[in-house]
Amino acid sequence: MDELKRQPLKGRGAISNATSRFERETRVLSDDGWGENEALAEPVPTTVFDDTAKSVLSRNTSPDVIFERSVNPYRGCEHACIYCFARPTHAYLGLSPGLDFETKIFRKARAAELLAAELRAKSYRCQPLALGANTDPYQPIEREQRITRGVLEVCRDFNQPVMIITKSALVLRDLDILAPMAAMGLVNVALSLTTLDRDLARRLEPRASTPARRLDAMRELTAAGVPVAVLASPMIPALNDHELEAILATAAEAGATQANYILLRLPLEIKDLFEEWLRAHAPNRADRVLGLIRQCRDGELYQSQFGSRMKGSGPVAELLAKRFKLACKRLGLNARKADLNCTAFKPPPMPGDQLSLL
């Protein structure tokens, strides 16, 4: 039997669904001559499962990010970004970081309830929460699940500061919560803008909002008084890195006042998934892209060391960092700090609590 190579599926980022690093068996597509391979081109539906986690507060110890605690309403992400660093986490569920990651989504239906309980704990000390640090809190199923909105309602009621990370214009749905919180210094929104090229965006991140819609979201958030940051991430050498200055300039024009970027990260299974994607969608430049990534990672496709994993090292990475710094200086990005207010935090009274006379 001949081994088959799966073709790109409409609306999906990963091309294959290889078994995870924890599985003993390996699945390989093959043609047995009976035509079953015809089904490989059919759309793969999204299936939603319940995540029974007893806590929604995740703690981060990495010095590479600015937050220590985060909330992720979903595991897996329908946006299907081929480069997503969260893909390998699906392996812990016995699922593939490939198509399973973007088609088998786990919802934390009790996220708001669990968060409220954790914020009421006597041991809790207020600090900004990152909403969507792992997978996008505004992925398509949020339209009907509304779990992210429930989490934001809790943050509003507790005056809990929160930083939102997304690449979806769906964040505008919750402006009625975000605008009053922003007036108290309790929220900011970071919108990821990987490319201004709609066709490249469609292939890199098939179910995310178009670049134009993300820019519109920046404008509307800014108009409502919500501080906005742009994440020009990930930067992929020889694929979208030439757009860095244009992304920053366009975002600044749309109202962004803060900016950051991350060099493409390819940990664990993502290395193979991304190379497979490259050879299917950009075969003429695949070797050059991979070669430049290795130049930024001391000859490897990925290095996990704190301090360098986000930006890389070597001439190519250093030039990218200098370009970013100069562009931000020219555009006035990152000129002022965007600290969130932790002094207003106060758990609301629960039913039956004695009210204060003051």
Side-chain angles (χ1 to χ4, degrees), residues 72-146:
N72 293 285
Y74 302 98
R75 301 180 73 171
C77 187
E78 263 194 304
H79 280 161
C81 306
I82 188 57
Y83 52 75
C84 182
F85 62 81
R87 282 182 177 273
T89 61
H90 247 45
Y92 296 112
L93 304 174
L95 298 171
S96 171
L99 285 170
D100 281 349
F101 176 79
E102 55 201 71
T103 60
K104 292 179 170 58
I105 312 299
F106 291 77
R107 64 179 182 181
K108 299 178 183 179
R110 298 179 58 229
E113 174 189 345
L114 292 172
L115 177 61
E118 292 182 83
L119 295 184
R120 287 188 185 278
K122 292 183 179 180
S123 60
Y124 180 74
R125 296 295 178 266
C126 180
Q127 57 184 276
L129 299 181
L131 181 55
N134 202 39
T135 57
D136 203 307
Y138 285 104
Q139 57 182 284
I141 62 170
E142 167 62 18
R143 292 185 183 278
E144 60 182 48
Q145 299 293 331
R146 300 173 71 85

Side-chain angles (χ1 to χ4, degrees), residues 22 26 29 41 49 82 97 115 117 140 148 151 169 177 185 193 212 232 235 263 269 280 288 300 310 342 352 357:
F22 298 123
T26 300
L29 293 172
F49 304 90
I82 188 57
L115 177 61
T148 296
V151 167
I177 298 176
L193 190 59
M235 284 287 103
L263 184 70
E269 292 93 345
R288 175 163 175 74
E300 305 292 334
M310 299 292 194
C342 292
L357 297 178

Side-chain angles (χ1 to χ4, degrees), residues 16-210:
S16 64
N17 204 36
T19 48
S20 77
R21 60 193 180 280
F22 298 123
E23 302 303 309
R24 293 183 178 180
E25 299 177 351
T26 300
R27 297 189 297 265
V28 177
L29 293 172
S30 62
D31 185 357
D32 60 4
W34 289 91
E36 276 81 356
N37 55 310
E38 295 176 1
L40 299 179
E42 295 180 359
V44 181
T46 297
T47 307
V48 181
F49 304 90
D50 284 319
D51 186 314
T52 57
K54 296 182 180 179
S55 171
V56 291
L57 278 182
S58 298
R59 284 165 173 76
N60 164 68
T61 57
S62 168
D64 294 328
V65 294
I66 62 174
F67 57 86
E68 293 184 11
R69 294 175 182 171
S70 62
V71 177
N72 293 285
Y74 302 98
R75 301 180 73 171
C77 187
E78 263 194 304
H79 280 161
C81 306
I82 188 57
Y83 52 75
C84 182
F85 62 81
R87 282 182 177 273
T89 61
H90 247 45
Y92 296 112
L93 304 174
L95 298 171
S96 171
L99 285 170
D100 281 349
F101 176 79
E102 55 201 71
T103 60
K104 292 179 170 58
I105 312 299
F106 291 77
R107 64 179 182 181
K108 299 178 183 179
R110 298 179 58 229
E113 174 189 345
L114 292 172
L115 177 61
E118 292 182 83
L119 295 184
R120 287 188 185 278
K122 292 183 179 180
S123 60
Y124 180 74
R125 296 295 178 266
C126 180
Q127 57 184 276
L129 299 181
L131 181 55
N134 202 39
T135 57
D136 203 307
Y138 285 104
Q139 57 182 284
I141 62 170
E142 167 62 18
R143 292 185 183 278
E144 60 182 48
Q145 299 293 331
R146 300 173 71 85
I147 298 173
T148 296
R149 183 173 176 86
V151 167
L152 284 176
E153 289 171 342
V154 170
C155 291
R156 175 200 61 197
D157 295 344
F158 281 73
N159 289 338
Q160 166 63 51
V162 60
M163 54 185 77
I164 299 172
I165 306 166
T166 184
K167 51 170 58 77
S168 174
L170 181 58
V171 65
L172 295 175
R173 179 201 63 188
D174 295 333
L175 263 181
D176 60 317
I177 298 176
L178 300 178
M181 289 184 70
M184 297 179 62
L186 295 174
V187 70
N188 58 42
V189 176
L191 275 156
S192 171
L193 190 59
T194 313
T195 176
L196 298 175
D197 182 336
R198 181 167 181 168
D199 180 60
L200 178 58
R202 177 182 56 79
R203 290 177 285 145
L204 269 174
E205 36 200 33
R207 297 198 177 193
S209 297
T210 64

Side-chain angles (χ1 to χ4, degrees), residues 237 241 261 263 291-299 311-323:
D241 65 323
Y261 80 95
L263 184 70
L292 288 172
I293 292 172
R294 287 190 172 92
Q295 288 185 40
C296 298
R297 303 290 187 188
D298 291 334
K311 308 297 183 185
S313 60
V316 174
E318 291 171 4
L319 178 59
L320 190 64
K322 289 179 181 178
R323 288 170 52 199

Side-chain angles (χ1 to χ4, degrees), residues 217-291:
M218 290 183 189
R219 295 185 185 96
E220 292 190 44
L221 287 165
T222 299
V226 180
V228 174
V230 58
L231 303 179
S233 301
M235 284 287 103
I236 307 172
L239 192 67
N240 72 336
D241 65 323
H242 64 282
E243 295 187 72
L244 177 60
E245 289 84 357
I247 290 172
L248 295 175
T250 307
E253 184 180 353
T257 57
Q258 303 289 314
N260 202 353
Y261 80 95
I262 296 175
L263 184 70
L264 177 68
R265 298 171 56 194
L266 297 175
L268 302 171
E269 292 93 345
I270 307 178
K271 292 192 292 291
D272 293 335
L273 289 168
F274 183 73
E275 181 172 356
E276 186 178 48
W277 180 94
L278 264 180
R279 303 216 179 268
H281 290 281
N284 294 334
R285 66 176 70 183
D287 289 334
R288 175 163 175 74
V289 171
L290 296 172

